[in-house]
Amino acid sequence: MTSRLVELCFDARHPRRLAGFWASVLGRDVAGDGVTLLPGDDGQLQVRFLPTEVPKTRPNQIHFDLMTLSLQDQQDTVARALAAGGRHLDVGQLPEEEHVVLADPEGNEFCVVEPTNNFLRGTGRIGAFSSDGSQQVGYFWSEALGWPLVWDQDEETAIQAADGGSKISWGGPPFHPKLAKNRLHLNLAPHSAGDTDEVERLLSLGAARSSVG
């Protein structure tokens, strides 16, 4: 038995504002709590924004790669993000690269990917949760979620559910060491209510108990 991926959580200084921004960019509805983006029609993952007083001081471990269907769709997505409070971001990308790098109102990085990107074709608006991490991390999450590896080359890995949807990818070395709690994290749940063995299974795969205060 594997875990079920429930949602992605953002730490945010202003959760309602950030939820509104991403609802506009992704075309999603916000739940009654004001801080949760409901899954989209394309089966995308729920996203929830949690309050924090900790300022953002370094690149996030995970960022969104937003897939687009045409050059006009890419331009419209960028324009919508800028109008909602986003901004262009220089992370060292080259002029000839076709994706557009942006940051949301709290500085969280994301990319609006060109429509010719075959790796993300057919994945939905959030094409990938692009992550900083090792090949071993990709193997762990493949086992944890029961998602097959769809890329495993040069220490880069990616997984995707058997029925499609967003991919989760890890870029391999070099990557930033983890110095504090990540601002984004995944919430899981057992497939069966009351399954008390799932924590032990995850620990046996290489997970460790962690205190985040």
Side-chain angles (χ1 to χ4, degrees):
M1 187 63 70
T2 58
S3 288
R4 174 173 55 91
L5 184 53
V6 176
E7 61 186 1
L8 175 73
C9 292
F10 272 81
D11 285 351
R13 302 294 294 275
H14 305 283
R16 288 178 178 271
R17 180 189 179 197
L18 216 55
F21 170 85
W22 282 105
S24 175
V25 172
L26 298 175
R28 299 256 204 112
D29 293 325
V30 181
D33 62 9
V35 298
T36 302
L37 298 189
L38 299 174
D41 293 337
D42 52 1
Q44 297 278 281
L45 189 65
Q46 178 172 289
V47 181
R48 188 156 56 103
F49 299 87
L50 304 173
T52 184
E53 297 299 323
V54 179
K56 184 178 185 295
T57 59
R58 62 200 301 268
N60 287 333
Q61 183 217 16
I62 301 173
H63 70 266
F64 290 158
D65 283 339
L66 304 185
M67 186 55 192
T68 57
L69 301 177
S70 66
L71 288 176
Q72 187 62 56
D73 184 25
Q74 184 182 28
Q75 293 167 4
D76 290 345
T77 302
V78 171
R80 192 162 59 248
L82 295 175
R87 59 182 173 84
H88 285 281
L89 186 65
D90 183 359
V91 294
Q93 65 269 33
L94 300 175
E96 62 268 24
E97 294 184 74
E98 298 180 83
H99 65 278
V100 180
V101 183
L102 301 174
D104 71 15
E106 295 198 7
N108 298 299
E109 308 85 1
F110 66 101
C111 295
V112 184
V113 177
E114 67 279 6
T116 55
N117 186 302
N118 290 324
F119 182 68
L120 300 183
R121 190 176 301 278
T123 54
R125 180 60 80 182
I126 302 178
F129 303 103
S130 186
S131 309
D132 195 26
S134 68
Q135 184 181 49
Q136 287 69 33
V137 173
Y139 292 168
F140 166 83
W141 282 102
S142 177
E143 291 288 337
L145 297 175
W147 289 13
L149 283 160
V150 294
W151 182 263
D152 185 7
Q153 184 174 317
D154 300 326
E155 298 190 70
E156 298 176 353
T157 51
I159 62 174
Q160 186 180 30
D163 57 356
S166 301
K167 295 178 178 179
I168 308 177
S169 64
W170 293 269
F175 44 82
H176 298 288
K178 182 179 178 184
L179 302 176
K181 178 183 180 293
N182 292 323
R183 296 185 75 81
L184 284 77
H185 71 265
L186 299 171
N187 275 351
L188 311 182
H191 276 283
S192 301
D195 183 357
T196 58
D197 296 330
E198 182 57 11
V199 169
E200 294 304 319
R201 187 184 74 88
L202 294 173
L203 291 172
S204 73
L205 294 176
R209 296 181 186 273
S210 179
S211 174
V212 294

